[in-house]
Amino acid sequence: MDRSEVSERLTGVLVSELGLDASKITDEAHFEEDLDVDSLGVVELLMALEDEFDVKIPDDEAESIMTVGQAVDLVHQKLS
């Protein structure tokens, strides 16, 4: 799966799971500052991503995810 497919599916998860506006979701968008996703929302998102992509995201890696692009890169890396 290429990075653009990961990005598209991740955007779908953000819209369906967290009710975010798809037009605000960019690689540069910061979860807490730009998308108003609190730390609990980020945890929920990571659990949804683990289910969506059938990957495991350890806590130490999850703590470093601040932007949509970082989440896309991490999932893409795990699928490679």
Side-chain angles (χ1 to χ4, degrees), residues 23-75:
S23 67
K24 292 183 178 182
I25 301 171
T26 65
D27 271 2
E28 297 79 28
H30 190 278
F31 286 112
E32 292 182 22
E33 294 170 10
D34 300 321
L35 301 175
D36 293 323
V37 177
D38 61 14
S39 57
L40 178 60
V42 172
V43 170
E44 291 173 357
L45 167 65
L46 293 173
M47 291 181 354
L49 293 179
E50 288 180 332
D51 290 342
E52 174 75 19
F53 293 100
D54 195 28
V55 296
K56 178 69 178 133
I57 302 172
D59 291 343
D60 61 324
E61 291 179 19
E63 291 170 6
S64 68
I65 297 174
M66 300 294 163
T67 67
V68 173
Q70 288 172 332
V72 171
D73 289 340
L74 178 62
V75 171

